[in-house]
Amino acid sequence: MNAYKTFFASLRKAGFHVDRHVYKRSSQSGKVCGYFFGEKSSSRPLIVFAHGYGNDAFYPYVQIFEKFLENNFNVFTFDLDGHGVNSSTFLDIKNFSSSVVDAVEFAKKEFKPEKIFGVGHSLGGAIFLNNASDLSQLGVLALVCISVPSTVEIGWRGIIFEGLSLFSTNVLIHLPKYGLVDFLPAFGRIRRKIMPIRARDDYMPSLKRLFEDLIHAAPQSNTPIKFIYGDADRLASKRCYEGFSRVFPGAEKYMVKGATHMTLPYNSEMIDESIAFLKKY
């Protein structure tokens, strides 16, 4: 997409490396496409970033990556299974959760960072949580989980509310980074050629159980975690925030006033809170 070509050009102009990487998934056929942004220095901490359902390695995270780079982090972002026009994996819920483990293992081997962190939005955050114990053994020092739902149910009123929230001033200031066409989210069959979802069967019931299991059978881990939610989120509601607060009592929690599920990735307060948390480690 044109927005990402512009993003790459701006990073290169600022002196950063922009490298595309393709690697095989360990538990299924297909390859994953990921991107490294930053300086070729192992002393610069690396953030492995996992996107939300129906998105890809970039959308809608350009402003997040820019802030990470400005604050002396490198970034590796990748397509989750079944996502991304440049990847060839399928969304198989039996193997889906290990996608972040593969990404971290690849990043450690390829970039050799002295420090490594995980940041996940929505589904990406859920998968980081689901693998918190394994990731800790791989040396992941801390996790930031943004807008992680405890269910995948949302009504039409919620969908309309979330969609309209994209036209708020705090979001529209980022429109020049994307352009009008690339700014629009994929939904249903809309824009699925650009942001596809590849699946061989009906995965939604299993996906729902994945979220619910995080509440009822959370993995044990000593990894520091920070949850960040928006108080106007219609998918990852205050009930999710409260539920994860009980399941992970030692985790830090932060609520952004007025933010929805779709607007939180654009929110500067959320980005600043994420960076401040990671810098403690």
Side-chain angles (χ1 to χ4, degrees):
M1 289 193 283
N2 290 333
Y4 304 147
K5 293 178 181 178
T6 302
F7 175 52
F8 295 164
S10 68
L11 293 185
R12 291 188 176 108
K13 186 177 180 180
F16 293 114
H17 288 270
V18 178
D19 300 324
R20 176 179 170 179
H21 296 268
V22 177
Y23 59 94
K24 292 182 179 180
R25 279 282 279 119
S26 63
S27 58
Q28 65 156 288
S29 61
K31 295 181 179 180
V32 178
C33 183
Y35 292 84
F36 170 87
F37 313 129
E39 297 178 358
K40 293 297 181 69
S41 170
S42 61
S43 63
R44 193 173 167 113
L46 177 69
I47 292 173
V48 176
F49 189 91
H51 63 80
Y53 169 76
N55 298 337
D56 62 15
F58 294 105
Y59 182 85
Y61 310 113
V62 167
Q63 61 285 340
I64 296 178
F65 300 152
E66 288 177 340
K67 276 290 189 179
F68 286 162
L69 292 169
E70 288 174 12
N71 283 271
N72 299 313
F73 291 94
N74 287 338
V75 177
F76 179 66
T77 181
F78 66 100
D79 293 327
L80 291 175
D81 287 354
H83 293 73
V85 71
N86 293 314
S87 295
S88 59
T89 55
F90 280 80
L91 203 166
D92 177 359
I93 201 66
K94 294 179 181 178
N95 302 311
F96 190 53
S97 188
S98 63
S99 58
V100 297
V101 175
D102 278 7
V104 169
E105 288 181 335
F106 174 82
K108 286 189 64 178
K109 181 179 179 181
E110 186 70 23
F111 312 123
K112 299 177 175 58
E114 293 179 6
K115 292 184 177 181
I116 189 166
F117 301 102
V119 176
H121 173 231
S122 193
L123 177 59
I127 298 173
F128 269 124
L129 287 176
N130 211 35
N131 291 274
S133 180
D134 290 339
L135 294 171
S136 178
Q137 294 179 24
L138 287 173
V140 174
L141 297 178
L143 300 174
V144 175
C145 299
I146 305 161
S147 298
V148 179
S150 57
T151 180
V152 292
E153 296 176 352
I154 183 172
W156 279 106
R157 290 184 179 180
I159 292 172
I160 293 171
F161 177 84
E162 287 281 347
L164 291 176
S165 71
L166 285 174
F167 296 94
S168 64
T169 303
N170 290 337
V171 175
L172 290 177
I173 59 173
H174 297 287
L175 181 59
K177 298 180 189 294
Y178 295 89
L180 181 59
V181 174
D182 291 342
F183 176 75
L184 299 173
F187 179 75
R189 296 182 179 180
I190 299 172
R191 286 172 54 77
R192 283 299 171 211
K193 288 185 178 180
I194 300 298
M195 284 183 279
I197 299 176
R198 294 177 299 276
R200 293 192 175 96
D201 52 24
D202 182 10
Y203 56 86
M204 289 305 292
S206 297
L207 194 62
K208 181 180 178 180
R209 285 196 298 274
L210 183 148
F211 286 112
E212 293 173 347
D213 286 349
L214 289 173
I215 291 291
H216 301 296
Q220 298 299 311
S221 173
N222 294 322
T223 304
I225 299 170
K226 182 156 191 168
F227 291 101
I228 305 179
Y229 285 82
D231 71 353
D233 194 320
R234 294 299 178 90
L235 180 59
S237 63
K238 290 182 180 179
R239 184 174 60 183
C240 303
Y241 175 88
E242 293 165 355
F244 284 121
S245 295
R246 291 191 297 271
V247 174
F248 298 92
E252 291 190 23
K253 301 97 180 175
Y254 192 85
M255 185 74 77
V256 179
K257 186 176 181 180
T260 69
H261 199 77
M262 297 187 77
T263 66
L264 196 56
Y266 299 95
N267 189 280
S268 60
E269 186 178 344
M270 178 279 293
I271 301 172
D272 291 343
E273 283 293 322
S274 300
I275 291 169
F277 176 72
L278 296 179
K279 282 189 172 182
K280 293 192 296 185
Y281 302 96

